[in-house]
Amino acid sequence: MWMDHRAAEQAARITKTQHRVLSRVGGVMSPEMQPPKLLWLKENLKERCWSKAAHFFDLPDFLSWKATGSLTRSLCTLVCKWTYCPPEGWDPSFWTAIGLEDLLENNSAKIGSETCAPGSPLGRGLSPQAAADLGLDPGTAVGASLIDAHAGGLGVIGADVRGFHLPCEDRPISSRMAMICGTSSCHMAISERPLFVPGVWGPCLSAMRPSRPELSCLWPQIDHVVRGHAAYSQLQQQVQQRSEDAFSIALPKLIFQLSFPSASSTAQ
């Protein structure tokens, strides 16, 4: 649920700690990263969710677990969104500073004690149940996941460009930059050494390529795009007229209704 921004206040509190792990996310914790989301769960749903959960997953790792039963997490997700930093791993002082020291219990089993590079084979491949659900053979290989934007970055930066007369044809991949467009739009690059830039996510070690630092630059989220649209003020007025409690929940509903009025009336 990356677009869930309910943990904005928790993210601001984490930023105020100025802990050293924040240097790898441009110095600012985003509400779309996992530490503030986890802190929100602990503070607001402790009995219903926090105390009962056996594991907390990012979506890519959740899908890998559902497919294979393997609890091994991809470095792509842990490094980019959870503050994990290979080869040291988790920084206990960070989780303690933000009030989530209980996640360190049992060798950090709830958030990941085993990691691997993206693309590494997981477990014994597809479990019998997952294979049956997908119509595939049990044991079919499953590779450790990539975040969607990083999969795009790997495909663009690692592409074979020979024969197209491009300026980067005979240059190392560290000279390239990929522009990713989707629910998030970002510029991504791989460097030979860690680069720390205020306001820029990264360096993220082994997020796309083992042992290489990666930078994710200028990441404007879809909410910024929506707020910049000419119809934004009109939508905001309609939300307020309907007395919706949560604007972030009501806005997507309104956009859908205005875009597909017949489907909306049918759904209602």
Side-chain angles (χ1 to χ4, degrees):
M1 299 179 65
W2 67 267
M3 189 53 187
D4 181 354
H5 280 197
R6 75 183 70 187
E9 190 270 331
Q10 285 77 10
R13 273 193 276 145
I14 294 174
T15 296
K16 287 182 179 179
T17 68
Q18 289 299 293
H19 193 278
R20 56 177 172 266
V21 301
L22 299 179
S23 65
R24 297 182 178 273
V25 293
V28 179
M29 178 59 65
S30 166
E32 294 174 8
M33 292 182 175
Q34 307 313 331
K37 293 180 185 294
L38 293 168
L39 185 57
W40 189 95
L41 287 175
K42 183 177 181 179
E43 294 178 343
N44 294 273
L45 295 175
K46 188 170 184 179
E47 298 302 324
R48 291 171 54 194
C49 175
W50 182 262
S51 300
K52 297 180 180 180
H55 302 283
F56 295 103
F57 290 102
D58 210 300
L59 177 60
D61 288 323
F62 172 77
L63 295 175
S64 299
W65 172 69
K66 288 289 286 185
T68 67
S70 173
L71 290 170
T72 300
R73 314 293 184 103
S74 169
L75 285 174
C76 181
T77 52
L78 291 192
V79 171
C80 294
K81 299 180 71 177
W82 295 70
T83 74
Y84 189 90
C85 184
E88 295 84 2
W90 300 113
D91 189 325
S93 66
F94 169 70
W95 296 102
T96 301
I98 66 173
L100 294 180
E101 62 276 3
D102 38 344
L103 290 177
L104 301 171
E105 298 173 359
N106 301 317
N107 194 28
S108 307
K110 286 190 175 183
I111 56 176
S113 55
E114 297 183 13
T115 65
C116 66
S120 302
L122 294 174
R124 297 182 179 179
L126 279 181
S127 66
Q129 182 62 56
D133 292 341
L134 296 171
L136 298 172
D137 294 330
T140 299
V142 176
S145 57
L146 282 161
I147 297 170
D148 52 359
H150 296 73
L154 181 64
V156 172
I157 294 174
D160 183 356
V161 298
R162 290 173 295 182
F164 292 96
H165 308 293
L166 297 176
C168 60
E169 181 170 345
D170 296 316
R171 298 180 60 80
I173 60 172
S174 57
S175 68
R176 302 181 185 183
M177 178 175 284
M179 182 175 181
I180 310 300
C181 300
T183 52
S184 298
S185 297
C186 59
H187 296 75
M188 308 185 78
I190 293 177
S191 62
E192 297 292 340
R193 58 185 178 83
L195 300 174
F196 296 87
V197 183
V200 172
W201 288 5
C204 302
L205 188 64
S206 299
M208 289 196 292
R209 182 177 176 183
S211 302
R212 290 292 183 92
E214 167 237 314
L215 291 175
S216 303
C217 316
L218 305 177
W219 195 295
Q221 303 299 345
I222 191 65
D223 54 345
H224 171 75
V225 176
V226 171
R227 284 180 169 83
H229 195 278
Y232 176 78
S233 58
Q234 175 189 353
L235 291 174
Q236 189 176 32
Q237 290 176 2
Q238 291 189 38
V239 170
Q240 294 171 345
Q241 290 170 1
R242 296 183 184 202
S243 300
E244 294 278 3
D245 293 329
F247 177 65
S248 60
I249 297 175
L251 181 56
K253 185 192 303 181
L254 264 181
I255 292 175
F256 180 81
Q257 291 173 350
L258 293 175
S259 302
F260 307 100
S262 59
S264 300
S265 59
T266 302
Q268 292 175 353

